[in-house]
Amino acid sequence: QLSIRLMKVAAHVQADAVVADIGSDHAYLPCHLLHNGGAVRAVAGEIVKGPYESAKKQVQAEGLEDKITVRLAPGLEAIEPSDGITAVTIAGMGGSLIASILEEGKDRLKGVERLILQPNVHAQAIRLWAVENGWQTVAEEILKEKDKIYEILVLEPSEEKVELDAKQLLFGPELLKQQNDVFKEKWQREAAQWKAIAERLENTTQTEDIRTKKEQLLEKIALMEEV
Ligand code: SAM
């Protein structure tokens, strides 16, 4: 049984998509998609040998070798132009790593109609990348599973640059509109941590770096309190 987190990611993949799942580990997500009519073909990319072998085994065990190609490659290098990829999923990593994978491989995103990204932390890094690279948010979700809180960002190419303000970058333009209970819980947890860090910084020798860090934290706390 797939985790709720990956089920929710899968639900954003278009049924007629050719999907590349980057950092696929056991390839659970593409296997689920192919078994349930959630996509027509898939590539599962992995940078580490162990998970790559697990993905190959899983795809074989599920009899999906003709529909899922497993490749050992860093980031979007797992995608080849002839694959005709229309959707990319990247789940279960930090937002900064996801943003750097997108930045390093952006020439491989030609023809891709949708990115479905599930950062465990720091979704802001992805939103910043999206603004700079002509992708707009079409949906966002926040969910809690086994006491962990996850965000899902769904992006599509935009004709014109869609700017996001500081609040939208940090909290997410769609999540900010919804402000559901999980959203509130996430930011209450975060704010408690920021306040504890800011207090500790207060009692540390005030170098330029420390002052900048403290200012950034206070700015985030102020944004949070406004929201
Ligand atoms: N996507 C799965 C999920 O959400 O359950 C697996 C997440 S697992 C925590 C992260 C996986 O990404 C690991 O298997 C790791 O080897 C892989 N990974 C990390 N950096 C990568 C990169 N630059 N390119 C491809 N895979 C990467």
Side-chain angles (χ1 to χ4, degrees):
Q1 177 70 36
L2 207 60
S3 60
I4 300 172
R5 173 182 64 85
L6 286 180
M7 286 275 215
K8 297 232 178 220
V9 170
H12 289 283
V13 177
Q14 320 88 299
D16 61 352
V18 180
V19 63
D21 183 41
I22 305 300
S24 198
D25 200 355
H26 289 81
Y28 291 146
L29 177 62
C31 287
H32 169 86
L33 285 168
L34 270 296
H35 274 316
N36 293 282
V40 293
R41 261 185 307 116
V43 169
E46 248 300 332
I47 195 173
V48 177
K49 197 89 194 281
Y52 160 77
E53 301 289 357
S54 311
K56 283 204 86 123
K57 264 197 211 133
Q58 190 67 28
V59 168
Q60 252 173 21
E62 301 210 23
L64 289 167
E65 299 106 305
D66 57 335
K67 299 229 170 74
I68 304 177
T69 308
V70 183
R71 294 201 183 111
L72 183 63
L76 301 180
E77 283 183 33
I79 298 177
E80 290 172 9
S82 59
D83 295 331
I85 297 294
T86 61
V88 174
T89 52
I90 312 180
M93 302 176 206
S96 305
L97 177 56
I98 295 178
S100 73
I101 288 175
L102 294 168
E103 177 60 25
E104 278 161 31
K106 58 186 174 187
D107 54 323
R108 305 217 177 199
L109 291 175
K110 284 186 196 97
V112 173
E113 295 160 9
R114 185 175 279 193
L115 304 175
I116 302 113
L117 310 168
Q118 184 271 299
N120 291 340
V121 291
H122 205 42
Q124 178 165 231
I126 299 175
R127 297 193 185 101
L128 278 166
W129 178 88
V131 169
E132 287 310 311
N133 290 280
W135 291 80
Q136 63 183 331
T137 309
V138 296
E140 284 181 318
E141 279 196 68
I142 189 160
L143 67 126
K144 188 160 117 176
E145 185 173 29
K146 296 189 181 149
D147 210 44
K148 286 209 175 121
I149 295 178
Y150 303 102
E151 289 178 34
I152 298 171
L153 282 59
V154 184
L155 307 176
E156 290 184 359
S158 62
E159 293 286 307
E160 39 201 85
K161 190 168 176 177
V162 182
E163 297 284 0
L164 296 178
D165 64 27
K167 259 190 237 168
Q168 290 171 318
L169 281 172
L170 184 59
F171 300 106
E174 293 303 315
L175 298 177
L176 202 50
K177 283 186 212 157
Q178 301 158 12
Q179 297 209 20
N180 67 17
D181 289 346
V182 183
F183 175 90
K184 286 181 193 150
E185 187 177 340
K186 174 188 165 86
W187 293 106
Q188 275 157 8
R189 285 186 192 180
E190 297 265 338
Q193 281 180 10
W194 297 340
K195 283 181 187 161
I197 298 170
E199 262 167 43
R200 255 182 278 142
L201 292 181
E202 195 62 55
N203 302 321
T204 314
T205 319
Q206 301 295 300
T207 62
E208 184 76 29
D209 273 3
I210 298 276
R211 269 196 298 274
T212 315
K213 180 91 189 133
K214 207 170 64 189
E215 270 162 29
Q216 284 170 347
L217 280 168
L218 294 177
E219 235 168 75
K220 285 205 286 190
I221 293 169
L223 282 179
M224 158 76 198
E225 275 163 3
E226 260 180 70
V227 165

